[in-house]
Amino acid sequence: MAGVVGDPHFETFDKRKYTFNGFGEFVLFEALNEKRQVEQIVQIRMRPFSTGDKARGTVISAVAIKSSSSDLIQLEKEENSQNLKVMINDAVLDLDKLAQEYIVENGANVVKKKDHILIQMTNEINLVVASDLDIQVMLYVPERFKSRTRGKKM
């Protein structure tokens, strides 16, 4: 498991912890197949966070996930709200009408829980996204991807 919380505090799969206050869009995670080609990608968007007139760092404002065989699933924090907007290939998914689970036709399930959204990819990579003052991200990756992951600035 790896994750990001707060103003972003990161924890890597090997349990290293660090804070990164970059501004922009970043590849949080790439999983590579046996041929070292990208099979899965998770991107995050980070924006400045301030209270009053004082900058306080950055927070995650959006996250997107896509595999080589799936639709693009994006989650964005709604303005002045703790709610998440979920989009599949840029079409907004109405979470109020979502009973429990939404099956994306190409490679993923979107599951609405009480306090988070779970995205289950067919390659067993799971993304948990919660929203409070910022977006928190937890990423669960099967052991078979060990030594085949990376992150980078876009």
Side-chain angles (χ1 to χ4, degrees), residues 121-146:
M121 305 303 284
T122 55
N123 61 5
E124 299 176 44
I125 292 175
N126 293 321
L127 181 70
V128 176
V129 181
S131 176
D132 191 8
L133 296 174
D134 58 1
I135 291 178
Q136 299 99 42
V137 178
M138 301 303 281
L139 188 59
Y140 298 87
V141 177
E143 186 70 22
R144 72 177 180 276
F145 287 102
K146 187 173 185 176

Side-chain angles (χ1 to χ4, degrees), residues 53-91:
D53 61 347
K54 189 166 187 172
R56 299 282 184 198
T58 57
V59 294
I60 296 175
S61 60
V63 61
I65 186 168
K66 182 168 183 4
S67 75
S68 56
S69 62
S70 78
D71 291 328
L72 172 64
I73 302 170
Q74 300 167 258
L75 297 96
E76 293 183 1
K77 188 163 170 23
E78 293 181 357
E79 284 293 320
N80 303 315
S81 170
Q82 293 182 3
N83 296 332
L84 288 171
K85 177 170 63 172
V86 179
M87 294 169 285
I88 299 171
N89 293 330
D90 294 323

Side-chain angles (χ1 to χ4, degrees), residues 109-120:
N109 294 336
V110 177
V111 182
K112 177 181 145 185
K113 299 287 188 176
K114 180 181 177 182
D115 61 349
H116 65 273
I117 304 290
L118 168 63
I119 300 173
Q120 301 170 307

